[in-house]
Amino acid sequence: LKSSPSNNEEKEAQTQLTKSDELQRLHSQALSAYQKEDYEAAISLLDEILAVCVWDAELRELRAECYIKEGEPSKAISDLKAAAKLKNDNTEAFYKISKIYYQLGDHELSLSEVRECLKLDQDHKQCFSLYKQVKKLNKQIESAEEFIREGRYEDAISKYESAMKTEPDVPVYATRAKERICHCFPKNQQPTEAIKVCTEVLQLEPTNVNALKDRAEAYLLEDLYEE
């Protein structure tokens, strides 16, 4: 304004200044809500700020944290992916994205994201530790599926049992492993074992179509036609 004063520009400057004051106020409220663990309120305030400050990586990371706390991981991934692009060498964002995918049971996407983190920093301790874990699990699942394709059902069962030991703390992997074991037992002419494992899967997921079909196959082997 000092370099070229004019009424129009002064008006525009005052409007922008008022808006920036308002955004700073919203920012303080959002941080306060986050600290009080009122994540829903924090998200609502951050939505308002990010509608104007679209390219703010740190605000997106903060909103992602709120989404994680609110149990909305897919929304968190969206914000973290934006933050990874907006901020150079954002290893932290890649680590968090990989971790979320892993918790959701998507080991392949988790592996892909953690590799991006290690491309930026090969000595990143958290990423390297996660990479080793995901890579091991991924390899076991790939081997098990290869055995199934080759009709080596006993080897596949053994490999999926190893995968459950590799990851005992994220329930989705045990459920998926049991679902595939439930598929292998009838093929291997072990109907009793199949019925037991398939039933375990169906207690967790009553509408799991694969487990229903595989248990039906096991019942047929046992001549239990009603079941």
Side-chain angles (χ1 to χ4, degrees):
L1 280 175
K2 282 175 184 167
S3 65
S4 56
S6 80
N7 286 342
N8 278 352
E9 280 172 356
E10 192 167 341
K11 210 170 173 184
E12 171 67 11
Q14 286 301 339
T15 307
Q16 295 286 10
L17 206 53
T18 308
K19 189 185 271 187
S20 73
D21 285 344
E22 169 69 2
L23 289 172
Q24 277 183 314
R25 190 179 60 76
L26 291 173
H27 188 213
S28 298
Q29 288 177 345
L31 289 174
S32 171
Y34 178 77
Q35 279 150 8
K36 288 177 189 160
E37 299 183 10
D38 185 353
Y39 302 115
E40 204 177 319
I43 289 167
S44 171
L45 291 157
L46 288 164
D47 286 349
E48 277 189 74
I49 306 168
L50 280 160
V52 182
C53 306
V54 185
W55 315 115
D56 194 312
E58 279 168 23
L59 289 177
R60 286 190 179 276
E61 285 174 10
L62 182 61
R63 189 168 65 176
E65 280 300 313
C66 295
Y67 281 136
I68 291 166
K69 302 282 189 194
E70 284 288 288
E72 296 195 70
S74 56
K75 288 183 178 176
I77 285 172
S78 169
D79 266 343
L80 287 166
K81 283 194 168 180
K85 285 192 182 119
L86 291 167
K87 202 156 84 182
N88 281 343
D89 300 345
N90 197 343
T91 50
E92 197 56 31
F94 284 118
Y95 172 71
K96 284 179 182 171
I97 296 166
S98 176
K99 192 93 178 153
I100 294 171
Y101 276 135
Y102 186 70
Q103 297 291 333
L104 290 173
D106 199 328
H107 52 95
E108 287 170 335
L109 279 176
S110 175
L111 191 59
S112 156
E113 294 294 333
V114 81
R115 278 182 176 141
E116 291 301 318
C117 171
L118 290 170
K119 275 184 203 168
L120 295 170
D121 178 4
Q122 59 190 32
D123 299 321
H124 194 289
K125 279 185 185 168
Q126 286 176 304
C127 285
F128 187 65
S129 169
L130 181 61
Y131 171 70
K132 282 199 299 186
Q133 174 72 2
V134 186
K135 193 181 177 197
K136 183 179 178 184
L137 186 68
N138 195 55
K139 200 166 190 298
Q140 287 172 322
I141 293 169
E142 279 181 355
S143 297
E145 287 302 311
E146 186 63 35
F147 288 142
I148 290 172
R149 285 191 290 275
E150 292 169 3
R152 293 166 59 187
Y153 299 111
E154 212 153 304
D155 291 334
I157 291 163
S158 169
K159 195 57 84 173
Y160 267 120
E161 283 168 349
S162 299
M164 284 196 276
K165 286 180 190 144
T166 297
E167 185 41 84
D169 301 322
V170 183
V172 64
Y173 293 109
T175 308
R176 290 286 79 80
K178 284 179 182 177
E179 182 191 322
R180 298 306 279 152
I181 291 169
C182 148
H183 174 72
C184 292
F185 274 136
K187 306 277 185 207
N188 210 38
Q189 304 298 308
Q190 293 173 272
T192 313
E193 292 88 339
I195 291 163
K196 180 176 173 291
V197 178
C198 295
T199 302
E200 281 178 31
V201 175
L202 288 162
Q203 280 165 349
L204 296 166
E205 299 177 347
T207 56
N208 186 314
V209 175
N210 294 327
L212 285 166
K213 288 195 294 188
D214 291 322
R215 189 169 68 174
E217 200 177 316
Y219 282 141
L220 283 173
L221 290 170
E222 292 281 53
D223 298 333
L224 297 166
Y225 301 118
E226 284 292 329
E227 284 87 340

